[in-house]
C-alpha cells in the first residue's frame, strides 16, 4: 500500500467514526453528545492509522490512548476501537509475532482498564470477552502475514541464489569448453604446422636432385593440410555443439598410425594389454598427448633418430613417449604451453603427466589416465 493509500485509510477511519457517532451506527457504546473533542480524537486516530506502517509501535499507543479518551469523554459510538485493531495487525505484520503479542497485550490491558474504570464494569464482562478476542484475532492475522512474507522473501532469495549459482556454473562450463576448444586448436595447428614444416624442408632439399621425392613431399603437405583443415572445421563446429567431448573427438588411438610418419626418425609403437576399449574422453586425451609429444620431437629434438611409444592398458591407460634427441636450444625447460596443455588434459580426467629429459639427453613424457565409467 502506498502513502496515498495509507492517508486514504486514515481519512476513511475519521469519516466512519464521526458519521457512525452522529448517526448512531455500529455496535452500541457511549451515548454522550458529539463535540469538538470527538472530532479531535477521531482525527488523532485517523492520523495514527495513516502513519501506522512507518511508526507501528507509537501509532498503536496513540490509537489506544485516543480510544481510552473517547470512552472517558463519553462520545457516541464504538467504531473508534477499529483504530487499535488496525494498529495491532500492522505491528504484528511489520515486526513479527513477538512485537505483535506485546502490542496486543497492551491493547487488551487498555480495554480492561476502560471497561473497569471508565464504564464501571467488572473485570470479566461480555464487553471484555467481545473485545479481547478481536484484539487476539487482529494480532494473529498480522503475525501470519509476517510469517508468509518472511517465507516468500526467503524463497525469493533462495531462488535468486540458485539462479545466480546456475549462471555461474554455466559461465564456468562455457569457459572450460572454450579452453578445451583452444587446446584442441593448439594441438591441431601445432601438429599440422610442424609436419608441414618438416615436409617442406624435405621438398626444398631434394627439389633439384630428386624431383619425384619433392613431389611426394608436396603431396604429403597437401594431405596433412587437408586433414588439419578438416580437424579445425570439426573443432570450430564444436562451439555450436552441446556435447564438447563428442564433437571434438576427431582424434583416436585407433588413428595413431597417421602420426608416426616423421622423416628421418624411426617411430616404434607398442601396445600392451588386452582391454583396449577406453572412454571417448580418455581416447581423445591420449591421442592428443601422443600427438603433442611427437610435435615436440619435430620441433625441439635435434638429431632424434628414434621415438618409442608405449601404450599399456589395464585399470589405467599408461602412455610413454621417449625420444633420443638433444635439445635444440629453443626450448630449455619442460614447462611450455604444449606440455602444460597435456598436463591439464590429464589432470582434468584425474590422471597425471610428467615430462623430463632422460639420462642420455633424450626426452620422455609419461602419462597415466584412469579408465572408469565417469570419464565416458
Amino acid at each position: 500500500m502506498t502513502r496515498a493509500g495509507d492517508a486514504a485509510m486514515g481519512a476513511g477511519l475519521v469519516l466512519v467514526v464521526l458519521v457512525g457517532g452522529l448517526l448512531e451506527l455500529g455496535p452500541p457504546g457511549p451515548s454522550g453528545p458529539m463535540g469538538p473533542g470527538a472530532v479531535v480524537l477521531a482525527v488523532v486516530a485517523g492520523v495514527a492509522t495513516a502513519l501506522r506502517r512507518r511508526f507501528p509501535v507509537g501509532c498503536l499507543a496513540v490509537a489506544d490512548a485516543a480510544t481510552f479518551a473517547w470512552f472517558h469523554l463519553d462520545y457516541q459510538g464504538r467504531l473508534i476501537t477499529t483504530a487499535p485493531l488496525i494498529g495491532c495487525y500492522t505491528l504484528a505484520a511489520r515486526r513479527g509475532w513477538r512485537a505483535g503479542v506485546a502490542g496486543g497485550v497492551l491493547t487488551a490491558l487498555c480495554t480492561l482498564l476502560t471497561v473497569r474504570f471508565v464504564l464501571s464494569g467488572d473485570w470479566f464482562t461480555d464487553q471484555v470477552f467481545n473485545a479481547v478476542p478481536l484484539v487476539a484475532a487482529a494480532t494473529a492475522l498480522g503475525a501470519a502475514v509476517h510469517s508468509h512474507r518472511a517465507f516468500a522473501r526467503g524463497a525469493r532469495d533462495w531462488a535468486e541464489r540458485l539462479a545466480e549459482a546456475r549462471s555461474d556454473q554455466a559461465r564456468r562450463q562455457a569457459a572450460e569448453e572454450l579452453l578445451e576448444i583452444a587446446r584442441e586448436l593448439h594441438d591441431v595447428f601445432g601438429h599440422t604446422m610442424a609436419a608441414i614444416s618438416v615436409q617442406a624442408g624435405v621438398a626444398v632439399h631434394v627439389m633439384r636432385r630428386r624431383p619425384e621425392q619433392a613431389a611426394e613431399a608436396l603431396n604429403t603437405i597437401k594431405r596433412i593440410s587437408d586433414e588439419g583443415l578438416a580437424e579445425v572445421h570439426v573443432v570450430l563446429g564444436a562451439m555450436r555443439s552441446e556435447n564438447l567431448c563428442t564433437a571434438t573427438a576427431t582424434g583416436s588411438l585407433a588413428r595413431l598410425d597417421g602420426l608416426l610418419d616423421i622423416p628421418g626418425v624411426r617411430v616404434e609403437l607398442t601396445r600392451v594389454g588386452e582391454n583396449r576399449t577406453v572412454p571417448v574422453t580418455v581416447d581423445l586425451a591420449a591421442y592428443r598427448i601422443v600427438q603433442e609429444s611427437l610435435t615436440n620431437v619435430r620441433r625441439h629434438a635435434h638429431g632424434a633418430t628414434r621415438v618409442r611409444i608405449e601404450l599399456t592398458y589395464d585399470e589405467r591407460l599408461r602412455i610413454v613417449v621417449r625420444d633420443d634427441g638433444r635439445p635444440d636450444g629453443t626450448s630449455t625447460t619442460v614447462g611450455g604451453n604444449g606440455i602444460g596443455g597435456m598436463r591439464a588434459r590429464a589432470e582434468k580426467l584425474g590422471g597425471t603427466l610428467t615430462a623430463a629429459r632422460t639420462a642420455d639427453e633424450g626426452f620422455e613424457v609419461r602419462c597415466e589416465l584412469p579408465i572408469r565409467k565417469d570419464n565416458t
Side-chain angles (χ1 to χ4, degrees), residues 16-376:
V16 167
V17 170
L18 294 179
V19 172
L22 291 173
L23 301 180
E24 298 182 2
L25 300 176
S31 57
M34 300 287 288
V39 176
V40 173
L41 291 177
V43 171
V44 169
V47 172
T49 299
L51 298 178
R52 72 195 186 284
R53 294 200 303 157
R54 298 175 62 185
F55 311 103
V57 176
C59 289
L60 176 59
V62 170
D64 286 334
T67 302
F68 182 85
W70 181 278
F71 283 90
H72 179 72
L73 296 174
D74 198 31
Y75 293 130
Q76 175 68 38
R78 287 197 304 178
L79 293 178
I80 196 170
T81 57
T82 306
L85 295 178
I86 296 175
C88 288
Y89 164 82
T90 303
L91 179 60
R94 303 288 290 183
R95 300 290 179 82
W97 70 269
R98 291 183 176 87
V101 168
V105 169
L106 175 64
T107 301
L109 181 60
C110 289
T111 300
L112 289 174
L113 294 176
T114 300
V115 172
R116 181 67 180 88
F117 296 105
V118 175
L119 301 180
S120 299
D122 295 329
W123 287 108
F124 302 102
T125 64
D126 291 342
Q127 291 174 316
V128 173
F129 286 114
N130 289 335
V132 172
L134 290 176
V135 173
T139 302
L141 180 60
V145 170
H146 178 82
S147 298
H148 174 73
R149 289 174 179 171
F151 175 79
R153 185 166 52 252
R156 183 169 59 252
D157 293 342
W158 178 83
E160 291 176 355
R161 290 194 298 270
L162 180 60
E164 184 177 356
R166 288 178 176 175
S167 178
D168 291 341
Q169 183 180 4
R171 286 194 293 267
R172 288 194 299 269
Q173 184 177 359
E176 291 176 359
E177 291 183 355
L178 290 176
L179 179 60
E180 187 71 17
I181 290 174
R183 288 172 182 160
E184 290 292 313
L185 289 176
H186 172 273
D187 293 344
V188 171
F189 276 115
H191 171 73
T192 301
M193 298 307 297
I196 288 176
S197 176
V198 171
Q199 294 296 332
V202 172
V204 170
H205 183 70
V206 301
M207 183 174 294
R208 293 185 178 179
R209 291 177 297 174
R210 292 192 295 274
E212 68 283 355
Q213 189 173 351
E216 182 180 350
L218 292 175
N219 287 329
T220 301
I221 289 175
K222 182 179 183 305
R223 176 180 60 79
I224 294 173
S225 300
D226 291 340
E227 292 177 354
L229 289 174
E231 288 203 58
V232 169
H233 177 73
V234 172
V235 171
L236 294 180
M239 298 179 68
R240 296 184 295 272
S241 173
E242 296 181 357
N243 190 336
L244 177 66
C245 294
T246 301
T248 60
T250 58
S252 171
L253 292 176
R255 299 177 53 204
L256 276 184
D257 292 343
L259 303 178
L260 306 183
D261 184 15
I262 303 179
V265 178
R266 185 171 79 255
V267 182
E268 301 176 0
L269 174 61
T270 303
R271 301 177 188 264
V272 180
E274 297 181 358
N275 183 11
R276 299 181 182 180
T277 301
V278 298
V280 173
T281 52
V282 174
D283 190 37
L284 173 61
Y287 177 86
R288 293 304 188 198
I289 288 170
V290 174
Q291 184 184 55
E292 179 65 22
S293 299
L294 294 178
T295 298
N296 288 339
V297 172
R298 290 188 177 94
R299 288 176 174 174
H300 308 301
H302 180 69
T305 60
R306 182 182 180 187
V307 177
R308 290 179 55 86
I309 303 173
E310 300 176 4
L311 301 179
T312 303
Y313 298 83
D314 46 36
E315 293 182 355
R316 303 172 69 86
L317 173 60
R318 294 176 174 83
I319 305 169
V320 178
V321 181
R322 184 186 303 112
D323 66 73
D324 61 353
R326 300 185 304 277
D328 63 359
T330 63
S331 177
T332 58
T333 67
V334 294
N337 292 333
I339 294 175
M342 290 191 293
R343 184 175 291 112
R345 284 184 182 277
E347 292 177 351
K348 182 178 180 180
L349 298 177
T352 59
L353 184 140
T354 59
R357 295 190 180 96
T358 60
D360 57 358
E361 291 300 319
F363 199 81
E364 180 181 81
V365 174
R366 284 184 172 271
C367 176
E368 291 189 6
L369 300 175
I371 300 176
R372 53 176 184 262
K373 293 182 180 181
D374 56 354
N375 278 334
T376 56

